[in-house]
Amino acid sequence: MASSPSTLTLPLGYGCRKNLSSNHHPSIFSGKIRGLAVKCSNSALRVEKSRNKGYWNEVNSLKRREVIGLVSGVSSLLFIPPFSANGAGLPPEEKPKLCDDACEKELENVPMVTTESGLQYKDIKVGKGPSPPIGFQVAANYVAMVPSGQVFDSSLEKGQLYIFRVGSGQVIKGLDEGILSMKTGGKRRLYIPGSLAFPKGLTSAPGRPRVAPSSPVIFDVSLEYIPGLEEEEE
């Protein structure tokens, strides 16, 4: 004699098939698994369905947040705000000069002197001391520029006088010639043609303009003193 099947309530999530010929309460699903009577209530299925719906809503919400986060991350990488000194609240760099804005205006009315070699110059200030003899050392300040006015070298920025032996080929020809006719204490702007400048040009330093081979340059020069010559005169 076959024993009656035991009744078992399946865990949530187990698939139940409604027995259409069953006379049981319509809210109960029934079935058999190897002699076991299986019952699943509609309430259990509703709970399971509700949990599944909440799970997928949470998954979709996480996916949306991940997509939004990914888009925001990519956008922040693609947009890099340009850095500028003014934007950072820093004042623009002011390079020291031998001829300021007022000096530039005065130079417009100063006559240009042209030498046989093609060198041209304007005296910003005529000195009162002696002129350097060929072969003597001189101590000078200078600001070297390309024709556009951009500075490519400056003793003022280095914070020390430039000392060299004038007329001996230690500097470019235009600078040698221009200083030889100056007087101590004077300032002069030299317009040096390419033939008297840098035959091989100059490679550009960071933030500095390049000087092309045999291109014209401009030097503002101040003859500070002539070592040894002033001591002899005293």
Side-chain angles (χ1 to χ4, degrees), residues 17-39:
R17 179 175 54 85
K18 185 175 182 180
N19 189 346
L20 297 177
S21 61
S22 175
N23 294 324
H24 294 288
H25 193 278
S27 65
I28 301 297
F29 292 174
S30 63
K32 289 184 178 181
I33 301 178
R34 294 184 181 180
L36 296 177
V38 181
K39 294 183 178 182

Side-chain angles (χ1 to χ4, degrees), residues 44-146:
L45 290 176
R46 282 197 297 272
V47 171
E48 177 65 14
K49 184 177 180 180
S50 175
R51 288 187 178 181
N52 287 340
K53 183 177 180 181
Y55 170 77
W56 288 113
N57 286 342
E58 184 177 355
V59 169
N60 291 333
S61 177
L62 286 174
K63 287 183 178 180
R64 285 195 296 271
R65 288 198 295 268
E66 289 175 359
V67 171
I68 293 172
L70 178 61
V71 172
S72 301
V74 172
S75 300
S76 64
L77 288 175
L78 292 178
F79 177 72
I80 301 176
F83 173 82
S84 64
N86 293 335
L90 299 175
E93 182 183 4
E94 185 68 26
K95 293 182 172 61
K97 301 177 180 179
L98 285 173
C99 185
D100 57 17
D101 293 340
C103 167
E104 293 287 352
K105 292 181 180 180
E106 292 178 3
L107 273 182
E108 294 177 2
N109 301 320
V110 175
M112 181 81 76
V113 178
T114 303
T115 69
E116 294 182 0
S117 66
L119 174 69
Q120 294 182 313
Y121 65 83
K122 288 185 177 184
D123 280 315
I124 298 171
K125 175 186 176 182
V126 178
K128 297 181 179 180
S131 295
I134 293 178
F136 269 64
Q137 282 190 328
V138 295
N141 270 315
Y142 69 89
V143 177
M145 301 167 281
V146 293

